[in-house]
Coordinates of all heavy atoms in Angstrom, one line a residue:
Y94 N -1.0 1.1 1.0 CA -0.1 2.2 0.6 C -0.4 3.4 1.5 O -1.5 3.7 1.8 CB -0.4 2.6 -0.9 CG -0.2 1.5 -1.9 CD1 -1.3 1.1 -2.7 CD2 1.0 0.8 -2.0 CE1 -1.2 0.1 -3.6 CE2 1.1 -0.2 -3.0 CZ 0.0 -0.5 -3.8 OH 0.1 -1.5 -4.7
N123 N 5.6 -2.4 0.2 CA 4.6 -1.3 0.0 C 3.5 -1.9 -0.8 O 3.6 -1.9 -2.1 CB 5.2 -0.1 -0.6 CG 4.4 1.1 -0.4 OD1 3.9 1.4 0.7 ND2 4.1 1.9 -1.5
H152 N -2.3 -10.5 -5.3 CA -1.5 -9.4 -4.9 C -0.5 -9.8 -3.8 O 0.7 -9.4 -4.0 CB -2.5 -8.3 -4.3 CG -1.8 -7.0 -4.0 ND1 -1.5 -6.1 -5.1 CD2 -1.4 -6.4 -2.9 CE1 -0.9 -5.0 -4.6 NE2 -0.8 -5.2 -3.2
L230 N -5.9 1.9 -18.9 CA -4.6 1.5 -18.5 C -3.7 2.8 -18.3 O -2.9 2.8 -17.3 CB -3.9 0.6 -19.5 CG -4.4 -0.8 -19.6 CD1 -3.7 -1.6 -20.7 CD2 -4.1 -1.5 -18.2
G233 N -4.7 4.2 -15.1 CA -4.2 3.4 -14.0 C -2.8 3.5 -13.7 O -2.3 3.5 -12.5
L234 N -2.0 3.7 -14.8 CA -0.5 3.9 -14.6 C -0.2 5.2 -13.8 O 0.8 5.3 -13.1 CB 0.2 3.9 -15.9 CG 0.2 2.5 -16.6 CD1 0.9 2.7 -18.0 CD2 0.9 1.5 -15.8
L235 N -1.1 6.2 -14.0 CA -0.9 7.5 -13.3 C -1.6 7.4 -11.9 O -0.9 7.8 -10.9 CB -1.6 8.6 -14.1 CG -0.8 9.0 -15.4 CD1 -1.6 10.1 -16.1 CD2 0.6 9.5 -15.1
E236 N -2.8 6.9 -11.8 CA -3.5 6.9 -10.5 C -4.4 5.6 -10.5 O -5.4 5.5 -11.2 CB -4.4 8.2 -10.4 CG -4.7 8.5 -9.0 CD -5.7 7.5 -8.4 OE1 -6.8 7.5 -8.9 OE2 -5.3 6.8 -7.4
F237 N -4.0 4.6 -9.7 CA -4.6 3.3 -9.8 C -6.0 3.2 -9.4 O -6.8 2.4 -9.9 CB -3.7 2.3 -9.1 CG -3.9 2.2 -7.6 CD1 -4.6 1.1 -7.0 CD2 -3.5 3.2 -6.8 CE1 -4.8 1.0 -5.7 CE2 -3.6 3.1 -5.4 CZ -4.3 2.0 -4.8
T258 N -7.0 -5.3 -13.7 CA -7.1 -4.6 -12.3 C -5.9 -5.1 -11.4 O -5.3 -4.3 -10.7 CB -8.4 -5.0 -11.7 OG1 -9.5 -4.5 -12.5 CG2 -8.5 -4.4 -10.3
S259 N -5.6 -6.4 -11.5 CA -4.5 -7.0 -10.7 C -3.2 -6.3 -11.1 O -2.4 -6.0 -10.2 CB -4.5 -8.5 -11.0 OG -3.6 -9.1 -10.0
V260 N -3.0 -6.1 -12.4 CA -1.8 -5.4 -12.8 C -1.7 -4.0 -12.3 O -0.6 -3.6 -11.8 CB -1.7 -5.5 -14.4 CG1 -0.5 -4.6 -14.9 CG2 -1.5 -6.9 -14.9
I261 N -2.8 -3.3 -12.5 CA -2.8 -1.9 -12.1 C -2.6 -1.7 -10.5 O -1.8 -0.9 -10.1 CB -4.1 -1.2 -12.5 CG1 -4.2 -1.1 -14.0 CG2 -4.3 0.2 -11.8 CD1 -3.1 -0.2 -14.6
V262 N -3.3 -2.5 -9.8 CA -3.2 -2.4 -8.3 C -1.8 -2.9 -7.9 O -1.3 -2.3 -6.9 CB -4.3 -3.3 -7.6 CG1 -4.1 -3.3 -6.1 CG2 -5.7 -2.8 -7.9
G263 N -1.2 -3.9 -8.5 CA 0.1 -4.3 -8.2 C 1.2 -3.2 -8.5 O 2.1 -3.0 -7.7
F264 N 1.1 -2.6 -9.6 CA 2.0 -1.5 -10.0 C 1.8 -0.3 -9.1 O 2.7 0.4 -8.8 CB 1.8 -1.1 -11.5 CG 2.7 0.0 -11.9 CD1 4.1 -0.1 -11.9 CD2 2.2 1.2 -12.2 CE1 4.9 0.9 -12.3 CE2 3.0 2.3 -12.6 CZ 4.4 2.1 -12.6
A265 N 0.5 0.0 -8.7 CA 0.1 1.1 -7.8 C 0.0 2.4 -8.4 O -0.7 3.3 -7.9 CB 1.1 1.1 -6.6
G266 N 0.7 2.7 -9.5 CA 0.5 4.0 -10.2 C 1.5 5.1 -9.7 O 2.0 5.0 -8.6
I267 N 1.7 6.1 -10.5 CA 2.7 7.1 -10.2 C 2.2 7.9 -9.0 O 3.1 8.4 -8.3 CB 2.8 8.0 -11.5 CG1 3.5 7.2 -12.6 CG2 3.7 9.2 -11.2 CD1 3.6 8.0 -13.9
S268 N 0.9 8.0 -8.8 CA 0.5 8.8 -7.6 C 1.0 8.2 -6.3 O 1.4 8.9 -5.4 CB -1.0 8.9 -7.6 OG -1.6 7.6 -7.4
V269 N 0.9 6.8 -6.2 CA 1.5 6.2 -5.0 C 3.0 6.3 -5.0 O 3.6 6.5 -3.9 CB 1.1 4.7 -5.0 CG1 1.8 3.9 -3.9 CG2 -0.4 4.5 -4.8
H270 N 3.7 6.2 -6.1 CA 5.1 6.3 -6.1 C 5.5 7.7 -5.7 O 6.6 7.9 -5.0 CB 5.6 6.0 -7.5 CG 5.3 4.7 -8.0 ND1 5.0 3.6 -7.2 CD2 5.1 4.2 -9.3 CE1 4.6 2.6 -7.9 NE2 4.7 2.9 -9.2
Y287 N 12.8 0.1 -5.7 CA 11.3 0.2 -5.5 C 10.5 0.3 -6.8 O 9.5 -0.5 -6.9 CB 11.1 1.5 -4.7 CG 9.6 1.9 -4.6 CD1 8.7 1.1 -3.8 CD2 9.0 2.9 -5.4 CE1 7.4 1.4 -3.7 CE2 7.7 3.2 -5.3 CZ 6.9 2.5 -4.5 OH 5.5 2.7 -4.5
I288 N 10.9 1.1 -7.7 CA 10.2 1.2 -9.0 C 10.3 -0.1 -9.7 O 9.2 -0.6 -10.3 CB 10.8 2.4 -9.8 CG1 10.6 3.7 -9.1 CG2 10.1 2.4 -11.2 CD1 9.2 4.1 -8.9
T289 N 11.4 -0.7 -9.8 CA 11.6 -2.0 -10.5 C 10.7 -3.1 -9.8 O 10.0 -3.9 -10.5 CB 13.0 -2.5 -10.4 OG1 13.9 -1.4 -11.0 CG2 13.2 -3.8 -11.3
G290 N 10.7 -3.1 -8.5 CA 9.9 -4.0 -7.7 C 8.4 -3.9 -8.0 O 7.7 -4.9 -8.2
K291 N 7.9 -2.6 -8.1 CA 6.5 -2.4 -8.3 C 6.1 -2.8 -9.8 O 5.0 -3.3 -10.0 CB 6.1 -1.0 -8.1 CG 6.2 -0.5 -6.6 CD 5.7 -1.5 -5.6 CE 4.1 -1.7 -5.8 NZ 3.6 -2.7 -4.8
A292 N 7.0 -2.6 -10.7 CA 6.7 -3.0 -12.1 C 6.6 -4.5 -12.2 O 5.7 -5.0 -12.8 CB 7.8 -2.5 -13.0
L293 N 7.6 -5.2 -11.5 CA 7.5 -6.6 -11.4 C 6.3 -7.1 -10.7 O 5.6 -8.1 -11.1 CB 8.7 -7.2 -10.7 CG 10.0 -7.3 -11.6 CD1 11.2 -7.8 -10.7 CD2 9.8 -8.4 -12.7
H294 N 5.9 -6.4 -9.7 CA 4.7 -6.8 -8.9 C 3.5 -6.8 -9.8 O 2.6 -7.7 -9.7 CB 4.5 -5.8 -7.7 CG 3.5 -6.3 -6.7 ND1 3.5 -5.8 -5.4 CD2 2.5 -7.1 -6.8 CE1 2.5 -6.4 -4.7 NE2 1.9 -7.2 -5.6
G295 N 3.3 -5.7 -10.6 CA 2.1 -5.7 -11.4 C 2.1 -6.8 -12.4 O 1.0 -7.5 -12.6
I296 N 3.2 -7.1 -13.1 CA 3.3 -8.2 -14.0 C 3.0 -9.6 -13.4 O 2.2 -10.4 -13.9 CB 4.7 -8.2 -14.7 CG1 4.9 -6.9 -15.5 CG2 4.8 -9.4 -15.6 CD1 6.3 -6.8 -16.0
A298 N 1.5 -10.2 -10.5 CA 0.1 -10.3 -10.0 C -0.9 -10.6 -11.1 O -1.8 -11.4 -11.0 CB -0.3 -9.0 -9.3

Side-chain angles (χ1 to χ4, degrees):
Y94 303 120
N123 197 48
H152 190 74
L230 284 175
L234 291 177
L235 288 177
E236 203 289 297
F237 80 107
T258 300
S259 191
V260 172
I261 291 299
V262 175
F264 177 67
I267 294 176
S268 66
V269 169
H270 303 335
Y287 169 74
I288 298 296
T289 306
K291 294 314 297 178
L293 277 174
H294 192 159
I296 296 170

